[in-house]
Amino acid sequence: PESRIAWIRDVLLLVNRDHAKHCDANTFPPPFAPDEFVQGPVHITDPALAKLAGGAVPLLISLAPSVPEDDASPAASGSRPASLSMPPAMAEALHLRAALTAAGTFPDHLPASPRTAFSAFTAAARAGHARSWRRLASDYESFGDMAHALSCVERGASLGDPACLHRLGIARLL
């Protein structure tokens, strides 16, 4: 599974690069972060890349576990969520699936659903995927829940995620 997930990650990165080539040249930075995906349905211009993406997304769906939506928020249960037992590659697959679900990049395979994406990011973070903590922190910030956002950033920073470390440094600086 590790090599399959690495391949999927590479294909999705190529999809982002293909999209960035066709964005307005005056747009800087690109409209997405390197670990996030095109918002809304993606239009892939390269037929070979379209074929690769057509294989990568269904493979990701088959590899990544789905998460029930009623487990969406650690605050909902009233207690701190327990860690999930999942190999790191599966946690990354769940993170990738959540990112595609949040963005709606491939709506024929994964319809856009912020609630489902939030549940999957939560599960991936609890399974030890550090980048998922940054995404959760960002979501909590957009909800106006700064206490949970800070907690997520701190947990991601403790796992060594560069984006969480940067965000925590900026927060402490300010």
Side-chain angles (χ1 to χ4, degrees):
E2 292 86 5
S3 61
R4 289 180 183 160
I5 294 166
W7 177 77
I8 292 166
R9 181 180 356 109
D10 291 347
V11 169
L12 294 175
L13 197 60
L14 289 173
V15 168
N16 272 354
R17 289 175 95 187
D18 183 67
H19 177 75
K21 282 193 310 188
H22 301 0
C23 286
D24 182 8
N26 298 321
T27 304
F28 187 83
F32 49 82
D35 65 330
E36 293 179 358
F37 301 104
V38 176
Q39 294 292 314
V42 66
H43 176 70
I44 302 172
T45 57
D46 181 359
L49 181 56
K51 185 175 179 180
L52 289 172
V57 175
L59 180 59
L60 175 65
I61 292 168
S62 72
L63 289 172
S66 58
V67 179
E69 287 191 33
D70 59 357
D71 192 28
S73 171
S77 64
S79 64
R80 185 169 218 134
S83 290
L84 292 178
S85 178
M86 185 182 302
M90 291 298 109
E92 181 179 6
L94 186 56
H95 174 85
L96 291 171
R97 181 179 177 149
L100 291 175
T101 301
T105 307
F106 295 96
D108 294 341
H109 297 287
L110 292 166
S113 172
R115 171 178 238 116
T116 302
F118 187 83
S119 297
F121 281 125
T122 301
R126 290 180 4 205
H129 193 263
R131 257 186 303 161
S132 295
W133 287 113
R134 184 206 40 87
R135 179 57 191 256
L136 286 172
S138 179
D139 287 348
Y140 277 121
E141 281 185 43
S142 69
F143 302 153
D145 188 344
M146 296 309 161
H148 275 105
L150 179 60
S151 174
C152 290
V153 168
E154 288 172 342
R155 290 182 77 174
S158 72
L159 293 172
D161 179 59
C164 286
L165 289 165
H166 178 264
R167 185 69 183 111
L168 187 59
I170 295 296
R172 290 196 174 152
L173 179 66
L174 295 176

